[in-house]
Amino acid sequence: MTSPTSNPTSEPAANASPATVASGAPARTFSGIQPSGIVHLGNDLGAIRNYVRLQDEYEAIYCIVDYHALTSTHDGDVLRTRTREMAAGLLALGLDPDRCTLFVQSHRPEHTELAWLLMTVTPVSWLERTPTYKEKVAQQPDDVNHGLLTYPVLQAADIVIYKATNVPVGKDQAAHLELSREITRAFNRRYGDTFPEAQAVFTEAPVVLGTDGVRKMSKSVGNTIDILAEPDLIRRQVMSMVTDTLRIRRTDPGRPEVCNVCQLHRFFGDDYLEIQDGERTARTGCVDTKKLLADRIIRHYAPARERYLELMAHPAEIEGILETGADRLRPMAQATMDEVRAKMGLR
Ligand code: TYM
């Protein structure tokens, strides 16, 4: 987690995306997102912007990870609805089924078979020390199911089944990515070179803080800005944002470098320095800066919201895109499984 005083948006983008892997195979992008029902600003600034960009640079595969979601969501109807909403959100934000493959994880059940096989090269201790596992245990102490522990192995399977080389994610996924790489190495050591080690690809905003200004923006924390929601909700969420806690009176000079609202202005307009200066000199108040941010976020995402609503009104279109995506991936997934089964002595 980023400390409240750190600048959430100034961390450098890490890891160049390789054009080819060592073997000369083409680079392939893969990423996954949970069907949490809403797309929030952290998803977009931290990851989805890179999904959209990378679909023009690489063969790109994007997955709505409903198997993963089962570790926390136990209502079938809710999960189905959220999966559709997430698909509509991703398409609305710029994923283009002609330039990338979008599918639902459970439509390619080879992921779970591979996860089982990878579990046999993964020491339990690696999983027990994963920070997100510890967080989830604290978040849902009455539901510490086995899926929470093995979650990162399934994530590794998602990536390696397509031999992906780069994985656009936010910083919160860095530990999972590192674990994926360790699992890949463990498999390659035991059974011979099979999978490339995938690199994380970060955006300019690898950690987006939530409206509380302290914790990472996350649906489970309840501190999100829901970018495709109705404008009134977005406005309420932005107006509830915690700014610089030391700026008590309107006339107090502010510290834009620690103010989450000021930092987010970087992504919505080219007058970021002016906005910073206004806060620092108390020329502008926090309320003005928030109102401006809300207006800009609403305006920026208005076309995407329109596309989102249009897609949600045509669920068959969404289902068609997802089915086509899963079908397109069948040969690749099955080829990897054939190779892996043969190496492990299963055929
Ligand atoms: P998930 O669904 O929590 O998040 C989806 C993507 O959004 C990024 N993100 C953020 N980035 C910056 N700031 C934030 N506040 C923020 N909140 C979310 C996440 O980093 C992520 O990139 N375990 C994954 C899903 C997954 C996956 C995979 C990812 C399953 N298999 C294989 C990559 C590769 C997850 O729960 O993401």
Side-chain angles (χ1 to χ4, degrees), residues 67-125:
Y67 282 142
H68 278 110
L70 287 172
T71 56
S72 306
T73 305
H74 306 309
D75 180 316
D77 288 334
V78 169
L79 184 61
R80 223 181 323 277
T81 305
R82 288 181 177 176
T83 300
R84 182 178 298 161
E85 287 169 346
M86 184 51 77
L90 291 171
L91 292 164
L93 287 166
L95 291 196
D96 175 355
D98 291 331
R99 290 183 292 149
C100 73
T101 301
L102 177 65
F103 76 112
V104 177
Q105 191 182 32
S106 63
H107 297 184
R108 285 267 50 91
E110 295 88 352
H111 288 229
T112 44
E113 184 188 351
L114 184 56
W116 174 263
L117 301 180
L118 294 180
M119 278 179 221
T120 65
V121 301
T122 308
V124 176
S125 58

Side-chain angles (χ1 to χ4, degrees), residues 30-34 40 42-43 46-47 65 68 151 155 158-159 167 169-170 172-173 206-208 216-217:
F30 178 94
S31 201
I33 188 163
Q34 289 209 43
H40 60 69
N43 294 138
V65 296
H68 278 110
Y151 183 111
Q155 180 156 344
D158 295 339
I159 298 168
V167 182
V169 281
D172 59 310
Q173 293 297 314
V207 182
V208 177
K216 166 194 100 152
M217 187 176 288

Side-chain angles (χ1 to χ4, degrees), residues 130-153:
T130 311
T132 41
Y133 172 63
K134 293 180 192 159
E135 272 166 35
K136 277 287 171 186
V137 169
Q139 250 172 36
Q140 48 186 73
D142 299 330
D143 184 19
V144 184
N145 57 77
H146 201 287
L148 290 177
L149 185 67
T150 44
Y151 183 111
V153 188

Side-chain angles (χ1 to χ4, degrees), residues 133-262:
Y133 172 63
K134 293 180 192 159
E135 272 166 35
K136 277 287 171 186
V137 169
Q139 250 172 36
Q140 48 186 73
D142 299 330
D143 184 19
V144 184
N145 57 77
H146 201 287
L148 290 177
L149 185 67
T150 44
Y151 183 111
V153 188
L154 179 58
Q155 180 156 344
D158 295 339
I159 298 168
V160 301
I161 199 164
Y162 305 112
K163 303 199 174 181
T165 49
N166 41 51
V167 182
V169 281
K171 256 290 165 49
D172 59 310
Q173 293 297 314
H176 280 170
L177 243 288
E178 196 40 49
L179 193 47
S180 285
R181 290 158 59 84
E182 285 182 67
I183 294 170
T184 303
R185 280 196 289 273
F187 186 93
N188 288 347
R189 255 197 317 273
R190 191 173 289 173
Y191 293 106
D193 209 16
T194 309
F195 301 121
E197 275 182 47
Q199 301 270 338
V201 183
F202 299 123
T203 67
E204 295 297 321
V207 182
V208 177
L209 298 185
T211 48
D212 53 6
V214 182
R215 285 174 295 179
K216 166 194 100 152
M217 187 176 288
S218 158
K219 171 150 187 202
S220 52
V221 177
N223 61 358
T224 57
I225 297 172
D226 304 349
I227 50 182
L228 300 179
E230 58 278 17
D232 274 358
L233 176 63
I234 298 180
R235 204 176 299 283
R236 276 203 306 280
Q237 289 173 330
V238 174
M239 294 313 288
S240 78
M241 284 178 79
V242 174
T243 53
D244 175 2
T245 46
L246 294 186
R247 192 174 184 201
I248 313 290
R249 288 172 302 257
R250 165 70 182 77
T251 48
D252 290 340
R255 297 171 302 157
E257 63 285 359
V258 300
C259 171
N260 196 19
V261 177
C262 284

